[in-house]
Amino acid sequence: MKVILATAKQQIMEREWLPPLSLGYIAASLESKGIEVAIVDSEVNRYDSKKASEEILSHKPDAVGITTTTNNRLEAIQLCNAIREKSKTLIFVGGPHFTPTARDALEKVKCIDVVVRREGEITTLEMLEAYSLKKGFFDIPGISFRDEDGKIVENAERPFIQDLDTIPMPAYHLFSLKKYNARLEGEYQSPNTIGVVSSRGCPYDCNFCANNALWRRSLRTRNPEKFVDEIEYLYDKYGYRSFDIWDDTMTIKKPHVKGICEEILKRKLDIKWYARSRVDSVNKEILGLMKEAGCVSMGFGVESGSPRILKSIQKGITIPVVKSIIKASADLGFYTKAFFILSLPGEEQEDVSASLSLIKELNSYGKNVMAGAGIAKIYPGTEMERIAMSKEILPSNFSWNTECEFPINRLFNDIVSVPLFVQPQLPLESLYVEIDRMQKRALSDWFWLIIKSLIEMRNLGELKIRITKFNLIILSKLRKILN
């Protein structure tokens, strides 16, 4: 059996990419059972649906699997349709968008045969084995499909994989790794970066979070030694020195992050890495150990400067802790990102003002702090989606899997197919002024980082490489600000 796993292009094309690890994991699981697999990454290759479908079908696959987020779901659906126009091959889809919208997807997109919900490593393998043997899908947990009469069947959920170390390492050899050019946050003179995962899920219940809908507040961690084995493999085999740790929140279990840091230090790995965290899951001791082990960049989801809104979105953090940890991170020399969201449910102007005030204060902690905000987006399966339906921000018959467009998004140069949480008491046009001001401040800080990097250069050859990279960075940022 030959299987193609693919992505669809993004509405807004980025200039930096990392390999899609979800496909790498599933590919490795299939290969472990002797199934032939290839990966077609439309994002890094900049394929539209026509070109991507041609490339996919040139392999003459028995089955095609496509993953997508809500941001590029319509492009994924276009790709499914383009494949179906020329082939009767099995088309299955998965990822954080199709998991909560499985029934709607099967109702609206007739070319989709199967939806693989949540984790795909075991489910995809069992589904493909049943397909190759011409068995039915009724006994396979974790999928939705149509039966022979066209009736939609949603099988029971598959339990999450508890031991993540039983999953094979992503099939890195199936990616054209030289095409992936992402760099670490704040480390724009660094060599190319690769993504890695040390845990899956998050136990918190933030009402806006799409990952909460996907993982159902579960958290599972890898063995630190085996995780660092993967880092060392990528270090030795492919020469990677920079790692983006994709965990939703790497630092929730302190023994886990301590074990990783200690293992990196024991092996004397000269690496840099970026971690996402919560302000209530770290302290100065943990941050210091992470710094010693090579962590150079930290990302914190703060969301709001209003205690009332933090409580209403179930974030579970306090403003004093936010200030303390962001300051500690900045003082230790981390490039520190603090993410805020404006127009959260029930937000009033005074709440926005509190967020803007806190953003300004956090940015005053140092040039290595980048606090900024975006507008709240509605994602399927979240509590925010339920609120949006109840307040008729989204119509009751809204479908996530049919063509739609939200023109107000263009004001923020944002994806037009993902609805923003629009509230009458907070006109988005007024928030645009504040977002625009923050973006321009961000551009100023980017120039500061560029100058700092050029000062640190060692020779003319390095200067040429850095100027080429910085041209891409500046063009990308200017496009986001000026469009």
Side-chain angles (χ1 to χ4, degrees):
M1 171 177 273
K2 181 181 289 187
V3 177
I4 302 297
L5 301 177
T7 63
K9 71 173 185 177
Q10 295 284 348
Q11 279 189 28
I12 298 176
M13 294 299 291
E14 297 295 333
R15 292 183 179 271
E16 296 184 9
W17 298 270
L18 289 167
L21 291 186
S22 60
L23 296 188
Y25 274 112
I26 293 173
S29 294
L30 299 182
E31 283 190 328
S32 72
K33 299 300 181 181
I35 296 175
E36 183 180 354
V37 186
I39 292 175
V40 175
D41 187 353
S42 301
E43 292 182 13
V44 75
N45 289 301
R46 302 191 181 197
Y47 291 160
D48 60 16
S49 59
K50 182 177 184 297
K51 177 61 178 175
S53 64
E54 291 172 352
E55 175 64 23
I56 289 167
L57 294 177
S58 71
H59 293 269
K60 296 181 170 53
D62 298 296
V64 177
I66 298 171
T67 187
T68 186
T69 65
T70 298
N71 290 355
N72 67 328
R73 70 197 187 280
L74 299 182
E75 288 73 21
I77 291 168
Q78 290 171 8
L79 178 55
C80 291
N81 284 323
I83 293 168
R84 179 59 75 231
E85 285 177 5
K86 297 183 178 180
S87 173
K88 294 183 179 179
T89 188
L90 179 78
I91 298 176
F92 62 98
V93 297
H97 172 73
F98 286 120
T99 288
T101 69
R103 175 172 287 276
D104 180 68
L106 290 168
E107 287 175 349
K108 301 298 192 303
V109 189
K110 301 302 181 184
C111 62
I112 294 175
D113 297 308
V114 180
V115 176
V116 175
R117 307 192 309 265
R118 307 190 199 284
E119 289 176 318
E121 290 87 356
I122 297 173
T123 305
T124 301
L125 177 61
E126 290 185 3
M127 183 269 295
L128 290 173
E129 287 176 341
Y131 179 69
S132 67
L133 295 172
K134 296 182 170 54
K135 293 183 178 180
F137 294 147
F138 292 93
D139 295 329
I140 301 171
I143 65 171
S144 302
F145 64 100
R146 296 186 201 85
D147 65 15
E148 293 181 352
D149 298 323
K151 180 183 176 182
I152 294 173
V153 179
E154 295 187 278
N155 288 354
E157 294 287 352
R158 180 180 295 277
F160 287 121
I161 300 168
Q162 293 305 309
D163 186 356
L164 298 182
D165 296 310
T166 62
I167 305 171
M169 185 186 304
Y172 293 107
H173 61 281
L174 295 181
F175 296 109
S176 299
L177 291 174
K178 290 183 179 179
K179 294 182 179 180
Y180 295 91
N181 62 345
R183 292 168 293 275
L184 286 185
E185 295 285 351
E187 289 286 317
Y188 302 105
Q189 73 275 26
S190 68
N192 286 358
T193 299
I194 190 78
V196 286
V197 174
S198 83
S199 68
R200 288 185 181 180
C202 175
Y204 293 93
D205 196 25
C206 304
N207 71 0
F208 56 86
C209 184
N211 286 337
N212 183 9
L214 178 66
W215 298 118
R216 292 187 167 181
R217 301 182 68 182
S218 70
L219 174 66
R220 293 144 297 139
T221 57
R222 295 177 61 183
N223 179 294
E225 182 177 346
K226 292 183 178 180
F227 172 65
V228 180
D229 283 345
E230 183 173 334
I231 288 178
E232 191 166 27
Y233 167 80
L234 293 165
Y235 184 101
D236 292 335
K237 175 76 173 177
Y238 298 108
Y240 281 103
R241 299 294 183 267
S242 296
F243 298 86
D244 185 340
I245 299 181
W246 278 12
D247 304 24
D248 293 336
T249 305
M250 179 192 181
T251 55
I252 290 176
K253 292 185 176 181
K254 288 183 175 63
H256 174 70
V257 68
K258 280 185 178 180
I260 290 171
C261 293
E262 290 167 357
E263 196 66 33
I264 291 171
L265 291 169
K266 183 175 76 174
R267 302 187 197 194
K268 298 180 180 179
L269 293 174
D270 183 17
I271 62 173
K272 295 180 177 181
W273 44 285
Y274 170 52
R276 295 156 183 82
S277 183
R278 285 175 55 100
V279 295
D280 60 349
S281 67
V282 292
N283 53 36
K284 291 181 180 179
E285 177 191 357
I286 289 290
L287 289 172
L289 181 60
M290 293 171 72
K291 182 74 175 179
E292 186 182 358
C295 184
V296 294
S297 307
M298 296 290 299
F300 296 95
V302 178
E303 322 314 350
S304 179
S306 164
R308 183 181 74 85
I309 293 299
L310 288 174
K311 182 177 180 180
S312 72
I313 64 173
Q314 301 163 189
K315 182 67 182 180
I317 62 175
T318 64
I319 302 302
V321 172
V322 170
K323 294 179 180 181
S324 172
I325 294 300
I326 299 298
K327 183 69 164 60
S329 179
D331 289 346
L332 283 166
F334 289 103
Y335 179 75
T336 305
K337 299 193 76 171
F339 305 98
F340 287 73
I341 304 174
L342 303 182
S343 195
L344 288 162
E347 199 163 45
E348 301 286 348
Q349 185 56 53
E350 55 264 33
D351 301 305
V352 171
S353 297
S355 290
L356 296 175
S357 176
L358 182 55
I359 287 171
K360 183 177 180 179
E361 178 176 342
L362 298 184
N363 281 325
S364 74
Y365 293 169
K367 285 286 188 180
N368 56 331
V369 177
M370 181 64 68
I375 302 299
K377 293 180 181 178
I378 305 167
Y379 286 103
T382 62
E383 175 65 12
M384 186 179 285
E385 180 199 28
R386 188 197 66 76
I387 295 170
M389 291 286 190
S390 69
K391 293 183 176 295
E392 298 184 348
I393 296 170
L394 291 178
S396 58
N397 63 346
F398 177 74
S399 168
W400 287 100
N401 297 294
T402 57
E403 290 288 336
C404 62
E405 185 173 301
F406 300 90
I408 189 66
N409 296 28
R410 290 196 179 90
L411 184 63
F412 302 93
N413 193 34
D414 211 338
I415 297 166
V416 298
S417 62
V418 179
L420 304 179
F421 197 88
V422 181
Q423 304 177 85
Q425 74 276 16
L426 283 179
L428 294 187
E429 290 81 0
S430 65
L431 296 180
Y432 167 76
V433 175
E434 302 298 342
I435 298 288
D436 184 61
R437 184 180 294 120
M438 282 185 280
Q439 287 179 330
K440 288 177 178 174
R441 185 261 179 186
L443 182 61
S444 172
D445 285 353
W446 276 70
F447 278 113
W448 178 83
L449 285 169
I450 290 170
I451 296 301
K452 177 176 179 289
S453 177
L454 290 176
I455 290 171
E456 294 172 352
M457 74 170 192
R458 291 165 292 189
N459 54 57
L460 291 176
E462 190 172 325
L463 173 63
K464 182 178 179 181
I465 292 171
R466 291 187 183 185
I467 287 175
T468 300
K469 289 182 177 180
F470 293 146
N471 282 341
L472 292 176
I473 293 168
I474 292 168
L475 287 172
S476 175
K477 293 300 173 184
L478 284 174
R479 174 177 58 80
K480 289 183 178 180
I481 290 171
L482 299 177
N483 281 2

